[in-house]
């Protein structure tokens, strides 16, 4: 039976299944690419659901910012922190790409009050939540 690295291919020089580079955890890449099965496989093999990159962002940030709703749901169902705060003080709801991402975050308990309306660029479209 092939090992985990054989199943998902080349990851990093060290072969560490948690990272694609020194800066971005592989789980964040899988989330951004909307690959929920890969997200789940990484979690099943020890990846930390809320591992942060150098900007303090978790995989959930990458998923909702990229509009990757299936991966975002997988992360949330696996216990990802909807209230995580990055190094700039932003939360996943503050970087969410569209209304569907915001609705998903609300479904999992995020408060719309987490957006710092004075500091965050407000999209030119309105949300209907």
């Amino acid at each position: 039976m092939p090992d985990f690295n054989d199943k998902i291919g080349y990851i990093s020089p060290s072969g560490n299944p948690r990272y694609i580079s020194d800066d971005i955890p592989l789980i964040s890449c899988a989330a951004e690419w909307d690959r929920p099965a890969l997200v789940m496989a990484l979690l099943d093999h020890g990846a930390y659901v809320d591992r942060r990159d150098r900007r303090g962002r978790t995989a959930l940030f990458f998923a909702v910012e990229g509009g990757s709703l299936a991966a975002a749901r997988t992360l949330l169902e696996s216990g990802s922190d909807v209230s995580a705060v990055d190094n700039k003080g932003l939360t996943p709801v503050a970087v969410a790409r569209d209304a569907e991402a915001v609705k998903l975050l609300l479904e999992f308990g995020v408060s719309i009050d987490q957006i710092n309306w004075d500091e965050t660029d407000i999209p030119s479209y309105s949300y209907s939540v």
Side-chain angles (χ1 to χ4, degrees):
M1 180 172 168
D3 73 5
F4 184 64
N5 288 331
D6 291 335
K7 289 180 183 178
I8 62 173
Y10 182 80
I11 297 171
S12 71
S14 67
N16 185 338
R18 295 188 180 100
Y19 299 95
I20 197 163
S21 74
D22 292 336
D23 297 325
I24 303 173
L26 181 57
I27 192 168
S28 295
C29 295
E32 183 176 30
W33 300 331
D34 205 15
R35 301 293 189 262
L38 180 54
V39 168
M40 203 66 204
L42 290 165
L43 292 171
D44 288 346
H45 285 83
Y48 177 50
V49 71
D50 283 329
R51 175 70 175 108
R52 294 173 182 268
D53 69 0
R54 63 187 165 113
R55 297 180 303 163
R57 292 188 170 199
T58 66
L60 185 58
F61 281 84
F62 286 81
V64 298
E65 189 172 30
S68 303
L69 299 180
R73 180 171 291 282
T74 298
L75 291 164
L76 289 164
E77 289 172 348
S78 298
S80 187
D81 183 3
V82 307
S83 300
V85 179
D86 73 5
N87 297 346
K88 290 186 177 182
L90 298 174
T91 61
V93 74
V95 301
R97 175 183 220 173
D98 56 31
E100 293 305 312
V102 173
K103 286 179 186 179
L104 180 63
L105 293 168
L106 288 169
E107 180 184 329
F108 281 86
V110 76
S111 169
I112 202 72
D113 295 330
Q114 290 180 344
I115 297 177
N116 182 345
W117 298 103
D118 295 329
E119 300 285 330
T120 305
D121 291 331
I122 307 302
S124 59
Y125 49 86
S126 63
Y127 293 124
S128 57
V129 289

